[in-house]
Amino acid sequence: MTRVLVCVQPARGHVGPTKPVVEALIAAGHEVAVVTGARYRQAFEELGAEVSVLPPEADFDETDLDGTIPGRAGLSGLKLARFELAHFVRAVPAQLSVIDEQEADVVLCDPLMMAGLALVRRNRRPRLLTLGFLPFMPPVPTGPPGHPLRGALLKTLAPWVTGPAQKLAKDLLGGDPGMLFTDWPLHSDGVLQMTCPGFEYPREGAPLHFIGPTTVSAASEHPLPSWWTDLDGGRPVVHVTQGTIANDDLGRLVEPTIDALAEEDVLVVATTCGGRLRPGPLPANVRVADFLPYDELLPRCAAMVSNGGYGGVNHALRYGVPLVVIGASEDKREVAARVTWSGAGIGRARASASPRTLRRAVRAVLDDPRYRARAQELAEEMAAGPAMDDVVKLITAG
C-alpha cells in the first residue's frame, strides 16, 4: 500500500479532474490524504480520503473570489494576472504548514499550489508528481510552433506579469529559487497531463505522462432537464459555456452566441453555471440549464463554444467535438492557441466576441469537415491512452 498526499486548490476545475484519480487510488487499496479548501472537504471525504483544510490565508471561495481574496476586486486583464500570481506565491507558507504535517510516499500537487516550488527544492522529499489539468508551459512562454511574433510578445510581457511573484518567491524561500516560480512542475518527477500528445506542443525532455481527461460528469451529478429529448430532434446541437467560474457577465460569450445562432438551423444548448441571462424571451432554438452532464451532452454535440477552460475543452475532444474558443483570462489564451494549432477548431485570444464573429466561426466549424475529423483523431488518441488502472500504477510505482 502506498500513502498518497493530494494537494489541490479549492476550485471546481481543479477538483473535478482530481476526484476520479483519488477514487481510483482508494479503490486500488492505497491510502489517500487530501489538502484542499473547506468548500471541497466533504467531496473528498465521501470518497474515503482523509482531508486537511487549508488555513484561511490560503483558502478561498471560487463563487466569491473578490470577497475572499483581499485586493482582487476591480482588477482585470494583465493586472489581474499579475495580482493572482503573487497571491498564489504568498500562500506558500500557509500551504506548507498543512502539507508538512502529512506523511506520504507520493505527493500529487496542483500546478497552481506553489508549495510545489518549495518541495522540488528539498534534497529529501517524497516522489512529487504534478496534476496536469492546465496547459503545460515551458520555462519561457514561446507560443505555438511557427508563431514567432506571439512568442516575442509573451516574452516581453512575462517579466512584468511575473516579476512581483518571483521576488516574493525569492523572499519566502530565503534565496533565488533557481527557476521561474511557475516552472516548478518541470522539476517534479512527472506531470500527469490530462490531454493527449496531439493537443500539446512538442516538448523535448519534458516529464510528461499523457493520461487524457479524467473528469466525470454524469446524469447522477447533474439531472437531465425536461427538454432533454429535444436534443434528438435532428438539428445539429451547439453547446455554449463560459465555464464554471466566469459567469458574472454572460454577455461575454453565452448571450452573443445565442444571438449569433438565433436564425440558424441548430439547437443551442447553454449552461449558465450560476450566472443569469439578460431578461426577455429566448429564441425558439435555445435551451438553457445551470449545469448539464457532459458525458451525456457532448456525444450529442456537433460543436462547442467555450471560453477556454482546459478541462472542458479536453472533455469535448474526448468525444470528438470540434471547438470555437474565445478566451483571454488565466490560461485561456493558451488553450485557444492550442485549439487552433491542433486543428480541432477555431481559437481566439479575446475576452469576448461579437455575434457576427461567432456566427462565422461556428458555421466554419460546422461546415468544414476537417475540424470534426481532427477532433475525432484527438478523441482516438485519448481513447488509446492509459486506463485509470494504469494511471494508479504510474502514481504508485517506485
Side-chain angles (χ1 to χ4, degrees), residues 368-389:
D368 188 337
R370 290 176 296 180
Y371 291 114
R372 175 163 285 275
R374 182 56 180 151
Q376 289 176 339
E377 288 176 358
L378 296 181
E380 291 169 5
E381 273 194 40
M382 291 176 179
M388 190 58 76
D389 287 347

Side-chain angles (χ1 to χ4, degrees), residues 213 294 298 304 311-323 375 379 382:
Y294 268 14
L298 291 173
M304 176 171 164
V313 163
N314 276 286
H315 211 140
L317 292 175
R318 175 195 281 170
Y319 291 102
V321 180
L323 295 139
M382 291 176 179

Side-chain angles (χ1 to χ4, degrees), residues 72-263:
R72 185 182 188 277
L75 300 177
S76 61
L78 292 176
K79 289 184 178 180
L80 178 59
R82 193 177 193 228
F83 170 85
E84 289 187 333
L85 289 173
H87 176 74
F88 288 139
V89 173
R90 194 174 292 111
V92 166
Q95 293 168 356
L96 289 174
S97 71
V98 179
I99 292 171
D100 286 342
E101 292 179 351
Q102 310 289 329
E103 293 185 4
D105 302 303
V106 182
V107 177
L108 299 183
C109 194
D110 186 320
L112 290 185
M113 191 166 279
M114 292 301 163
L117 176 63
L119 295 177
V120 296
R121 298 175 72 250
R122 293 179 177 177
N123 293 325
R124 298 183 63 183
R125 59 167 173 78
R127 185 160 174 256
L128 177 62
L129 298 172
T130 307
L131 292 162
F133 40 63
L134 299 175
F136 185 74
M137 299 294 289
V140 177
T142 58
H147 290 71
L149 291 178
R150 181 171 180 272
L153 177 62
L154 287 171
K155 287 181 181 179
T156 300
L157 292 175
W160 185 86
V161 174
T162 62
Q166 187 71 14
K167 181 180 183 303
L168 186 58
K170 181 178 180 179
D171 294 342
L172 291 174
L173 297 175
D176 189 344
M179 67 189 84
L180 184 64
F181 67 97
T182 55
D183 290 341
W184 73 260
L186 294 166
H187 301 269
S188 69
D189 297 303
V191 180
L192 306 180
Q193 198 64 30
M194 297 176 183
T195 187
C196 60
F199 194 66
E200 277 292 345
Y201 309 146
R203 314 282 195 205
E204 291 186 7
L208 288 174
H209 303 280
F210 289 99
I211 66 171
T214 58
T215 302
V216 176
S217 177
S220 58
E221 182 179 1
H222 304 301
L224 301 179
S226 59
W227 47 258
W228 187 255
T229 55
D230 295 349
L231 274 63
D232 300 321
R235 286 181 291 178
V237 176
V238 178
H239 172 50
V240 58
T241 177
Q242 289 183 200
T244 57
I245 295 179
N247 294 290
D248 56 315
D249 179 8
L250 296 180
R252 295 192 190 103
L253 188 60
V254 172
E255 290 172 352
T257 301
I258 290 173
D259 293 341
L261 303 178
E263 303 300 324

Side-chain angles (χ1 to χ4, degrees), residues 9-11 37-39 55-56 58-62 64-65 68-69 87-88:
Q9 292 279 24
R39 182 178 178 84
D59 200 357
F60 57 85
D61 182 349
E62 64 184 325
D64 184 20
L65 292 174
T68 55
I69 302 178
H87 176 74
F88 288 139

